[in-house]
Amino acid sequence: MLRYVGKRILMLIPVMLGVSLIVFCMIYFTPGDPAEYMLGVDATPEAVAAMREQLGLNGTFLEQYIRYIGKIITRFDFGTSYSTHRSVTTEILDRFPNTFRLALLSMVVSAVLGIILGIISATKQYTIFDNMASAFALIGTSMPSFWFGLMLIIWFCLKLKWFPPSGFDTPAQWVLPTICLGLGSTATVTRQTRSSMLEVIRQDYIVTARSKGQLESVVVLKHGLKNAMMPIITVIGNSFGVHLGGAMLTETVFSIPGIGKMMVDAIAIKNYPVVQGGVLFIALCSSVVNLLVDLLYAYIDPRIKAQYSKKKVKKPAANQKTKGVA
Amino acid sequence: MPDIMENSAELKKQNQLLEVWKSLKKNRLAVFGLCLTILLILVAIFADVIAPYDPYSNDLANTFCYPCRAHLFGTDNMGRDQFSRVVYGARISLLVGISTSLFGMIGGIILGSIAGYYGSHTETVIMRAMDIFMAIPGTLLAMSIMAVLGQGVGNTILALGIGAVPRFTRVVRSAVLGVKGNEYIEAAQAIGASSFRIITKYIVVNSLAPIIVQTTMNVASAILAATSLSFIGLGVQPPTAEWGSMLSAARPYIRDYGFLVLYPGLAIMATIFGLNLFGDGLRDALDPRLKN
Amino acid sequence: MSENLLDIKNLTVYYYRDGKPIKAVNDLSFSLGKGETLGLVGETGAGKTTTAKAILKLVPEPQGKYESGEILLDGKDVLKMSKGQLRRMRGHDVAMIFQDPMTSLNPVLTVGEQIAEVVRLHSKVSRAEATKKAQEMLEMVGISGSRYTAYPHEFSGGMKQRVVIAIALACNPRLLIADEPTTALDVTIQAQVLELIKDLKDKFNTSMLLITHDLGIVAEVCDKVAVIYAGEIVESGTAEDIFDRGTHPYTEGLFNCLPRLDSEEGERLNPIKGLAPDPMNLPAGCAFHPRCPYATDACRQSNPKPVEIEPGHFVKCHVRGIGKEDA
């Protein structure tokens, strides 16, 4: 098991190097001279040359890349923001708590709500409740989050004046962005829970559990949910990455000072180091979460744990879709 | 003799299509989704007939007109008819959605079938590269690419298309792996068919079902992503009549003119809703194993 | 009648698909005395498993529906029990061994937990005592108690079936329903498991309903036999009645299907013609008539009632039943 964890962490390294390469290409191939961006058009050629040196923009592609990645690894240094002249790392870390809190809140809310709705929907299949939950799930996956956010603002901030329309400091300000960002994944988790619970409650061991005289609620939760959990956890884990990416839109709509809004603003003024740093940082976060999810499988399903200890690193086919296609 | 074989193969394909259609027809939600989708396509094709006004002509005497008989969805800050703009928006969304999916599909078929068919190092290299792309959340990847390429419809298609390739590659690869083990592939190898012929003639054709499903689903997610990009100021630029940029342009006025953000959003939602319903139904009809 | 542990009277269970009934069990009746073993014999799809599940009221609802009839356990109708009564009955009074041991154990719980679960449900014992009892049960079915913490995937099919048996017998049920307990197992393991069930049943003086399509198993284990066809009992009686004096054309057909060592050279097996009827579309009259070599017009028109042709030996056939009664 420990070997497996180690191996997975090692496997993360090439992926992150790849991501950093993509991100680096982004700035390298963009027309325009970053040094000029930073100093403005009326800078002297000497000042520009000095700035190029300082930014590490001299040398071949490979040299520049190695310098870039070296700084990140050794000093956690993602470069300097063109606009504020502060270190990108500081800019990210200043805003990360907001984004992280938003993504985490949405993930928790959507996981809890989605699993509850999905279970009720599956155990009461074809009833009014099931139809309503399915309709909710369908609409939830079709609704663009930024539009939903605007609707929430119009209704709850401007008409009813229940919540402030912007900012992210007090719990009252958390409510609407969390709903906005969490809606889509609540719908996805509901759908996944419903379909995997429906599959599991048809299994023979559920009948066995009932034949023991077990309470129906215990049958569903202890015997059913635990077996249905793997694809659900995959969806929840993926949702965290989706939330980090989607935070861009929610943060824009609700004017939350987070990484997403920072990147949107940075793109508008071609402040590339900030964009690079943001993408790299978010990719790292979502990869770590996916790794944790994979490790959680082993905790839930003893068969997978057994596989790991046999040193088979084949990834479990937990995702419903890939399982079906394979 | 080959003629007869081709004919019977043709006939079998028709029968399969008929089966899929039959099982799709039974699914009322899927039929509803299909109707919505067809409606969207018709609106896009006949936009210039349906739209009562030029979506780009300003009418400064008539700004912020509430929805009425003359302007079904009202007018915006430039007095442009919102209904006409929503109708024209269908064109762009559909164009972006379909082109993106075709781009992703073709890229995915090439990479996925190479990976699945040849296996070993080729497969490892391709699939690890896809892992790297998939490590970046979709919206973020498209955004980064747009940041480099600059705005515009073509660049949006390219950015979202690149983002769609990894998912298609995975689908195609696993479909190819599923088909590859079958005996008719061995038989084809035994009679000396070339790898290219085997891939195109046998493997891709037999993995069509999951590819079609993925393509349908991808049209929906691409449209959603494209409107998101436009909303944050990347993607398609104003004044182009595009749903996301319409929402973005209307944002400053939501306090007083909420209707401006209502209709473009509903249009996006109805589009995604229809495509998702249809895609779900298609998935169930094409491959019962994928059914929930 | 009161000495019967189980009395099933006119039980009818349908499943519904797209609003159309699938007639799984039709007006089925039989009874089982204390300490007896009844073999329920029939082809796949004849309604054996549905009958077994109905006794525990475990037919999946809402697809399955109990249309009519009663299932009396000690005189109390299972179908009318409250949820609480059902829970106290299941696992405690009546326990079931399922057909496929591969799928009837929960893959994410240890085998020990799964045995202890039923113990804790029906006797007020501490966790530790339940664990001890579960280990005893494992030993009893021939598995070392130390394997308590093993997961089902670590066990072979035969061992899994032993665990299933341990779960079923953990609370000394008065009625054990064994639904094709050996079908999914290798032949060598089959004999062991069957022997184990027989021993434990004798040890605890449990009544048993053994569901099978294997006449050899019936001969070995059962006191009484009921032959089921298209959800109806077509013939019932003691094992001798059925094996030596089987009367119904279907029973006859079943025995003709068996290969015999003492058969003449060149003599071929004599299978029953045709296929088991489609429960969505049962034939009118006697359900067996399309396959019956003796069918008459009466068979096509009306469904015969069971007739007692000798004490305790019932047969449901226009041709054979009436013929014997007249004689």
Side-chain angles (χ1 to χ4, degrees):
Chain A
M1 192 62 206
L2 223 81
R3 273 182 69 118
Y4 176 75
V5 177
K7 198 161 181 176
R8 282 304 308 266
I9 292 174
L10 284 179
M11 276 165 66
L12 206 59
I13 292 173
V15 170
M16 288 326 294
L17 281 177
V19 173
S20 70
L21 187 65
I22 293 175
V23 162
F24 178 76
C25 286
M26 214 176 86
I27 192 173
Y28 187 83
F29 292 113
T30 311
D33 188 343
E36 274 179 23
Y37 280 130
M38 280 191 84
L39 296 171
V41 273
D42 44 337
T44 60
E46 291 78 39
V48 172
M51 183 52 85
R52 288 184 64 85
E53 184 67 42
Q54 190 192 330
L55 292 175
L57 295 175
N58 294 323
T60 61
F61 174 81
L62 201 64
E63 281 170 13
Q64 290 192 31
Y65 173 65
I66 289 172
R67 219 175 293 143
Y68 175 69
I69 200 76
K71 275 200 221 160
I72 293 176
I73 293 169
T74 53
R75 284 180 279 154
F76 208 61
D77 176 6
F78 289 93
T80 312
S81 163
Y82 293 168
S83 59
T84 60
H85 298 265
R86 291 169 70 203
S87 125
V88 173
T89 312
T90 326
E91 300 271 357
I92 289 175
L93 291 181
D94 275 357
R95 293 173 173 83
F96 183 63
N98 279 338
T99 303
F100 184 74
R101 189 191 293 148
L102 177 59
L104 194 70
L105 271 175
S106 312
M107 184 176 86
V108 171
V109 169
S110 61
V112 172
L113 266 181
I115 289 178
I116 293 175
L117 283 178
I119 289 177
I120 303 178
S121 190
T123 48
K124 308 245 181 275
Q125 201 189 359
Y126 303 130
T127 60
I128 288 183
F129 185 89
D130 179 31
N131 291 338
M132 271 165 49
S134 298
F136 159 78
L138 270 169
I139 292 171
T141 42
S142 313
M143 187 126 59
S145 71
F146 53 97
W147 180 67
F148 181 52
L150 289 175
M151 290 291 139
L152 288 174
I153 289 181
I154 291 180
W155 200 254
F156 291 104
C157 305
L158 303 178
K159 288 229 167 77
L160 297 172
K161 298 195 191 320
W162 287 359
F163 301 102
S166 61
F168 206 63
D169 301 317
T170 62
Q173 290 171 319
W174 301 350
V175 178
L176 293 184
T178 303
I179 295 174
C180 173
L181 189 55
L183 176 79
S185 43
T186 308
T188 329
V189 174
T190 306
R191 288 181 71 159
Q192 185 60 62
T193 307
R194 179 176 184 272
S195 75
S196 50
M197 277 304 281
L198 277 180
E199 195 172 317
V200 165
I201 54 181
R202 270 186 231 128
Q203 300 294 319
D204 289 346
Y205 52 78
I206 297 295
V207 184
T208 308
R210 288 200 183 112
S211 82
K212 291 176 185 174
Q214 187 57 277
L215 274 166
E216 187 60 24
S217 56
V218 181
V219 172
V220 168
L221 293 177
K222 182 174 162 190
H223 294 271
L225 186 60
K226 205 173 170 192
N227 277 289
M229 210 54 204
M230 293 251 295
I232 302 174
I233 286 185
T234 308
V235 167
I236 294 173
N238 283 340
S239 81
F240 190 75
V242 172
H243 286 157
L244 284 176
M248 240 168 20
L249 295 160
T250 312
E251 287 172 5
T252 305
V253 171
F254 290 94
S255 312
I256 298 169
I259 295 185
K261 179 129 193 345
M262 172 191 82
M263 285 195 292
V264 172
D265 295 344
I267 287 174
I269 56 167
K270 300 198 189 304
N271 189 353
Y272 292 117
V274 171
V275 183
Q276 281 181 321
V279 172
L280 205 50
F281 192 75
I282 287 179
L284 181 67
C285 288
S286 63
S287 298
V288 169
V289 169
N290 281 336
L291 172 69
L292 290 177
V293 165
D294 272 12
L295 298 182
L296 207 58
Y297 289 157
Y299 176 75
I300 289 180
D301 195 324
R303 286 166 298 182
I304 288 174
K305 201 191 251 165
Q307 250 184 18
Y308 288 167
S309 43
K310 275 184 218 144
K311 282 185 285 187
K312 264 190 208 158
V313 271
K314 202 151 162 71
K315 207 182 152 183
N319 189 306
Q320 282 268 312
K321 274 184 191 157
T322 39
K323 193 166 76 184
V325 175
Chain B
M1 211 23 207
D3 260 12
I4 297 171
M5 277 172 70
E6 293 275 304
N7 277 345
S8 71
E10 203 61 22
L11 210 67
K12 207 178 150 206
K13 239 179 251 172
Q14 275 177 11
N15 278 340
Q16 273 175 351
L17 272 179
L18 210 67
E19 281 302 307
V20 167
W21 173 238
K22 262 190 202 158
S23 110
L24 195 65
K25 251 191 342 193
K26 261 197 241 157
N27 186 340
R28 280 203 312 238
L29 280 176
V31 172
F32 177 66
L34 182 63
C35 292
L36 261 180
T37 309
I38 291 175
L39 186 73
L40 172 81
I41 295 172
L42 290 178
V43 166
I45 294 174
F46 298 108
D48 32 7
V49 183
I50 297 169
Y53 299 89
D54 176 353
Y56 300 110
S57 78
N58 299 345
D59 179 2
L60 295 176
N62 248 329
T63 57
F64 297 120
C65 167
Y66 273 84
C68 60
R69 200 173 292 249
H71 298 282
L72 277 178
F73 293 174
T75 61
D76 66 5
N77 56 328
M78 310 292 272
R80 291 173 297 198
D81 180 53
Q82 289 293 91
F83 179 70
S84 307
R85 288 177 68 75
V86 168
V87 166
Y88 270 89
R91 278 195 175 168
I92 304 229
S93 284
L94 214 60
L95 174 74
V96 170
I98 292 175
S99 329
T100 303
S101 304
L102 288 180
F103 187 104
M105 183 180 85
I106 293 168
I109 287 179
I110 295 172
L111 291 174
S113 46
I114 291 176
Y117 184 77
Y118 289 105
S120 85
H121 295 305
T122 321
E123 182 179 19
T124 315
V125 170
I126 292 178
M127 295 323 286
R128 287 297 85 78
M130 294 303 123
D131 284 351
I132 290 169
F133 275 94
M134 294 200 56
I136 308 175
T139 344
L140 220 53
L141 180 66
M143 188 206 74
S144 326
I145 300 174
M146 291 300 290
V148 177
L149 296 175
Q151 292 131 344
V153 178
N155 287 345
T156 309
I157 294 171
L158 192 59
L160 292 174
I162 293 174
V165 169
R167 215 164 272 284
F168 274 100
T169 306
R170 282 196 178 176
V171 168
V172 174
R173 172 182 158 269
S174 65
V176 168
L177 286 182
V179 175
K180 198 171 110 182
N182 283 328
E183 281 175 11
Y184 56 81
I185 302 295
E186 279 178 35
Q189 282 168 335
I191 60 169
S194 72
S195 293
F196 181 74
R197 193 182 150 79
I198 292 176
I199 290 180
T200 50
K201 183 95 186 167
Y202 296 91
I203 294 187
V204 172
V205 167
N206 282 295
S207 348
L208 268 183
I211 297 174
I212 291 174
V213 170
Q214 176 66 25
T215 310
T216 319
M217 300 292 207
N218 195 71
V219 174
S221 59
I223 290 178
L224 194 59
T227 54
S228 309
L229 284 177
S230 305
F231 179 74
I232 53 173
L234 298 163
V236 183
Q237 283 301 287
T240 314
E242 198 270 354
W243 297 333
S245 68
M246 283 173 75
L247 285 173
S248 173
R251 235 187 108 201
Y253 313 112
I254 52 170
R255 186 173 292 275
D256 301 310
Y257 309 106
F259 64 89
L260 284 179
V261 293
L262 182 64
Y263 298 105
L266 281 179
I268 302 174
M269 201 173 117
T271 306
I272 311 293
F273 191 64
L275 281 165
N276 276 344
L277 282 181
F278 177 59
D280 276 357
L282 201 60
R283 181 189 60 199
D284 296 350
L286 278 173
D287 193 346
R289 279 176 310 163
L290 297 175
K291 198 167 177 171
N292 291 344
Chain C
M1 286 302 269
S2 63
E3 76 269 22
N4 280 343
L5 177 64
L6 178 72
D7 260 311
I8 298 185
K9 290 180 181 163
N10 311 98
L11 179 70
T12 302
V13 182
Y14 291 172
Y15 294 98
Y16 286 87
R17 193 165 59 203
D18 301 330
K20 276 175 251 156
I22 300 168
K23 300 176 176 177
V25 176
N26 302 296
D27 201 19
L28 173 140
S29 306
F30 67 80
S31 55
L32 176 64
K34 286 186 180 126
E36 275 180 350
T37 298
L38 174 77
L40 191 59
V41 187
E43 286 166 288
T44 310
K48 296 174 304 209
T49 301
T50 305
T51 308
K53 285 188 175 165
I55 297 171
L56 284 159
K57 208 175 178 216
L58 278 175
V59 172
E61 289 172 279
Q63 304 95 302
K65 225 180 134 204
Y66 305 92
E67 297 290 332
S68 62
E70 41 191 14
I71 299 171
L72 300 177
L73 186 71
D74 280 331
K76 264 215 242 117
D77 190 350
V78 171
L79 300 181
K80 293 204 181 84
M81 282 186 187
S82 70
K83 279 184 181 170
Q85 285 172 319
L86 276 175
R87 280 205 308 275
R88 282 189 290 280
M89 176 270 283
R90 289 175 188 160
H92 183 247
D93 297 321
V94 184
M96 187 153 170
I97 298 172
F98 293 91
Q99 188 167 353
D100 188 355
M102 298 305 184
T103 56
S104 40
L105 291 175
N106 188 332
V108 302
L109 298 177
T110 65
V111 293
E113 281 174 84
Q114 298 188 53
I115 304 172
E117 183 181 19
V118 68
V119 175
R120 278 172 63 83
L121 278 169
H122 297 291
S123 45
K124 287 201 176 81
V125 293
S126 68
R127 202 169 278 269
E129 283 170 293
T131 307
K132 205 167 145 264
K133 173 80 181 171
Q135 281 166 338
E136 282 170 25
M137 287 311 298
L138 277 177
E139 298 275 356
M140 197 173 295
V141 295
I143 297 172
S144 158
S146 62
R147 301 298 304 274
Y148 178 87
T149 50
Y151 285 96
H153 68 89
E154 299 167 45
F155 280 5
S156 67
M159 281 168 85
K160 280 186 201 169
Q161 192 62 307
R162 284 163 190 267
V163 174
V164 173
I165 293 168
I167 292 174
L169 292 175
C171 294
N172 289 348
R174 284 177 302 150
L175 172 60
L176 180 66
I177 303 171
D179 183 7
E180 311 220 20
T182 58
T183 316
L185 304 176
D186 286 345
V187 181
T188 46
I189 311 292
Q190 278 187 7
Q192 287 179 15
V193 167
L194 206 62
E195 205 53 38
L196 178 73
I197 293 177
K198 238 168 78 177
D199 286 351
L200 293 173
K201 177 188 115 56
D202 291 343
K203 191 167 162 191
F204 295 115
N205 193 27
T206 315
S207 309
M208 180 157 80
L209 176 64
L210 179 70
I211 293 170
T212 181
H213 58 257
D214 185 337
L215 289 166
I217 293 178
V218 175
E220 204 174 320
V221 183
C222 298
D223 315 314
K224 284 165 73 182
V225 181
V227 181
I228 185 169
Y229 184 82
E232 294 172 296
I233 302 291
V234 292
E235 182 164 12
S236 62
T238 62
E240 290 80 28
D241 288 340
I242 304 296
F243 277 78
D244 299 342
R245 298 182 296 282
T247 307
H248 195 279
Y250 178 62
T251 316
E252 210 170 70
L254 281 181
F255 282 99
N256 283 339
C257 294
L258 293 180
R260 281 152 53 157
L261 280 176
D262 57 349
S263 63
E264 298 282 315
E265 199 160 323
E267 194 185 326
R268 306 185 64 181
L269 285 181
N270 195 1
I272 307 174
K273 286 184 301 177
L275 293 171
D278 174 11
M280 279 187 94
N281 193 11
L282 288 178
C286 170
F288 187 59
H289 84 253
R291 302 170 75 185
C292 179
Y294 314 104
T296 64
D297 283 341
C299 306
R300 286 178 200 94
Q301 277 149 16
S302 70
N303 199 3
K305 293 254 171 305
V307 175
E308 193 164 15
I309 51 171
E310 53 185 312
H313 185 177
F314 292 86
V315 65
K316 188 183 111 4
C317 178
H318 282 307
V319 179
R320 294 297 169 80
I322 292 163
K324 285 280 164 68
E325 213 172 27
D326 288 350

